[in-house]
Amino acid sequence: MDWDAELASAFSLQGKVVVITGAGSGLGQEAARIFALAGAKLVLADINEEGLAETLTLVRAAGGNGILRKADVSLRDDLDALAQAAVAELGALDVWINGAGVSFLHSLLDTDPQKAASVIAINMMGPYWGSVAAARVMRERGGGTIVNISSGGGSKPLPGIGLYGMTKAAVNSLTWTSAAEFGPSGIRVNAIAPGWIETPMSRDLFRDEAGNITEERKQAVRASMAAGSPLGILGTPTDIALALLFLASDASRFVTGQILAVNGGESM
């Protein structure tokens, strides 16, 4: 038996059409690069067109290519159009990654209502309507895979970013319910719950009380986050992207309704 070929086939996305929202930066951008290495045909979506162009450069350097789509995940119509574009332009929709997300620092008592509405629309309703849009197409085509990017903050207190944590708890619930409802149509649904990963979104923690970012503050935050892991290390976007690859590929064909914690053992 050719073990190398069997393993490569299990984790391959060769010829699979993958939609990634939030592909213009952070975890979505690195997922696009890793998925390109795995052979996926990519539809890359974000509201940030400059970031999408940067992602496409990384994808091409990895030997892949992609279609870019400006999309606002807080708008249901944009998500429906994204699912339809995958089929119209690439002929299929095999994998959907709900990767877009936002956050802001706040206390519960001082939450700005407009910012709160935006976080809920993007972090909670974005995956909701994205999953619905994907499942409608996948159901007609015999199945597929949806992966949500949740957070370790969806299952523990998050002082200072409580609204973000609330939306990620909702994503966990969505993952379980959609796995149950979509499973009979051959659609698997799982989520990744990362620990703290340094991305453009998470760097607000580098700001001191005056709002300034200093190297001293950066090192203190990184040390604090690493100390939360028994391994004493920080994760990287690549760690998350490789876990996403597992859940997107046939290597996880018997896995659905799971929240995979990728956090260095911060929670067990």
Side-chain angles (χ1 to χ4, degrees), residues 86-107:
V87 176
E89 299 193 35
L90 295 177
L93 175 53
D94 301 297
V95 179
W96 182 285
I97 307 295
N98 283 310
V102 294
S103 183
F104 70 100
L105 297 175
H106 65 97
S107 69

Side-chain angles (χ1 to χ4, degrees), residues 6 12 78 106 117 123 133-134 154 177 205 212:
E6 184 173 350
S12 174
D78 277 20
H106 65 97
N123 291 9
T177 299
L205 290 180
N212 300 315

Side-chain angles (χ1 to χ4, degrees), residues 53-66:
E54 180 182 295
T55 301
L56 185 59
T57 298
L58 295 172
V59 163
R60 287 174 173 166
N65 209 343

Side-chain angles (χ1 to χ4, degrees), residues 126-175:
Y128 188 99
W129 293 123
S131 297
V132 168
R136 282 199 176 114
V137 173
M138 291 174 177
R139 179 181 59 186
E140 300 303 317
R141 304 183 66 84
T145 300
I146 298 169
V147 188
N148 299 315
I149 296 185
S150 182
S151 168
S155 57
K156 68 177 184 181
L158 278 185
I161 50 172
L163 190 64
Y164 175 83
M166 183 190 79
T167 61
K168 293 304 183 178
V171 168
N172 291 347
S173 178
L174 171 67
T175 300

Side-chain angles (χ1 to χ4, degrees), residues 63-89:
N65 209 343
I67 294 171
L68 305 185
R69 284 288 178 272
K70 183 177 181 180
D72 182 345
V73 300
S74 70
L75 302 176
R76 182 180 181 182
D77 287 349
D78 277 20
L79 294 165
D80 288 338
L82 196 56
Q84 295 301 322
V87 176
E89 299 193 35

Side-chain angles (χ1 to χ4, degrees), residues 1-10:
M1 180 177 292
D2 187 341
W3 291 106
D4 288 344
E6 184 173 350
L7 286 173
S9 176

